[in-house]
Every structure is written in structure tokens, then in C-alpha cells.
Amino acid sequence: MSIVCPARRQLLLGLSGVAMFSMLPTKVQASRSTTGVRSLGFRNLHTGERGQGSYWIDGNYQSGILSDFSHILRDHRRNESAPMDKRLYDLLFKLKQSLNVEQDFNVISGYRSPKTNAMLASKSNGVAKKSYHMKGMAMDIALPDVKLSHLRDAAIELKLGGVGYYPQSGFIHVDTGPVRTW
């Protein structure tokens, strides 16, 4: 013998759209993924410039802050900026959360113009000819009070893109390309 509650029985027997609508909760809960504030801070080690701000508020990216970030993360050699991939900011925000730190990221390289990238690639085997830096999808970063290997391990654990480890140069590379490590 099965027991069917009246609401279920009404659903099984069929209801008009109006009656069905009245059974729905009156208060809609927002998803946690669309509420809250995401903030970041950057210090460009080449220019000394700093920038902080809430780049995402209640599901909306903040264009003014993103524009400020793009300026700080510009190619300092050519003084050219480009919009950075919003997923990169989200990756960095999650990285800070996983490490439970509030510090600003030290940025060695953000956006890189094709001309700068070609110049750097001609001088080093460590620079990709089709670098994600040229697409605004990569950053070379460090956190002052976080051991570089811990920063690398936390970035790898996120599985949100590429992670390169450059201990001799004092930074890790993160990008929003395919998940891979080197």
C-alpha cells in the first residue's frame, strides 16, 4: 500500500497552471554563485603601480575596476593594455581563497603585446611564441608571504588552467588555457 500526499496526488491528477503556480515557494532564493563580492589587488613590480577593487558584485563584473586592472596589468615595455580574461580574475580570486590570504598579487607579467612577446621569445626558450599573455589570459605572479611551491600547488589543485613554476625567477605562471603544468 502506498501513501500519496495530497499535493502529490493533485500533481499526479493534473492541475491548472494557476493552481500549480500557487504551490511554488513565494520567496525565491538567489544562488550563492550569483551573490557576494569578489575583490583582488595587484602590484605591478615593473611600474610600482597598485590597484585594488571589487571586480565582481552580485553576479556582475564591474567594468570600471576591470578597466583599472587592465591598465595596471598592461605591457609596460610598450605601454599597451588590453582587456584581461575575466576567468583569470576568478582563478586568482579562488587561489587567494584556497590559500586564505588577503595580500595583493605581485605581478611580473600580465598582458604582453605581440611585439614584446616576440622580442622576449627571441631571447629565451621559456617564452611561448603563442603565449596566452598576448590574449590577456595569463599572468606571472607571486604572493609576498606565500612560499612559491605552495602557490604553485594551490593553483594546480584548482584545475582551472595552465600552471608554470619558475622558482629561479620567483614566480608562477597561471592562465585560463587548457589544464596543464610545467
Side-chain angles (χ1 to χ4, degrees):
M1 176 167 153
S2 84
I3 299 172
V4 178
C5 68
R8 184 166 178 233
R9 177 176 284 133
Q10 289 172 334
L11 285 173
L12 293 173
L13 294 173
L15 289 173
S16 71
V18 174
M20 181 71 104
F21 183 75
S22 67
M23 293 177 62
L24 295 175
T26 56
K27 186 175 181 183
V28 177
Q29 297 284 332
S31 165
R32 275 190 266 166
S33 65
T34 60
T35 60
V37 175
R38 297 178 192 165
S39 300
L40 288 172
F42 300 104
R43 178 174 169 245
N44 185 317
L45 295 183
H46 295 286
T47 66
E49 296 169 309
R50 292 180 176 268
Q52 295 178 322
S54 299
Y55 72 93
W56 186 92
I57 301 173
D58 293 335
N60 297 303
Y61 288 97
Q62 305 299 301
S63 60
I65 296 296
L66 294 178
S67 181
D68 292 347
F69 285 174
S70 291
H71 178 74
I72 291 164
L73 301 170
R74 72 189 180 279
D75 178 342
H76 69 278
R77 290 173 181 87
R78 301 190 55 81
N79 200 31
E80 291 179 24
S81 64
M84 301 296 285
D85 185 350
K86 295 171 190 157
R87 295 173 303 161
L88 187 58
Y89 297 128
D90 292 335
L91 183 158
L92 294 172
F93 179 77
K94 288 175 183 173
L95 185 56
K96 280 183 59 169
Q97 279 186 314
S98 73
L99 292 165
N100 196 29
V101 296
E102 292 296 322
Q103 300 167 307
D104 292 351
F105 284 100
N106 284 341
V107 178
I108 291 82
S109 182
Y111 171 72
R112 201 181 290 154
S113 71
K115 286 186 179 182
T116 293
N117 196 75
M119 180 270 297
L120 293 173
S122 73
K123 294 180 179 184
S124 168
N125 290 335
V127 177
K129 290 181 181 176
K130 295 184 179 182
S131 172
Y132 282 107
H133 286 277
M134 296 186 299
K135 299 176 182 179
M137 295 171 60
M139 262 190 246
D140 297 337
I141 57 166
L143 282 168
D145 296 331
V146 176
K147 191 173 176 184
L148 201 59
S149 61
H150 292 163
L151 184 61
R152 174 205 56 202
D153 294 346
I156 290 170
E157 195 171 301
L158 290 175
K159 295 181 170 89
L160 293 174
V163 179
Y165 184 52
Y166 299 91
Q168 301 293 4
S169 300
F171 67 86
I172 70 164
H173 166 100
V174 293
D175 66 51
T176 54
V179 175
R180 65 211 187 287
T181 60
W182 63 94

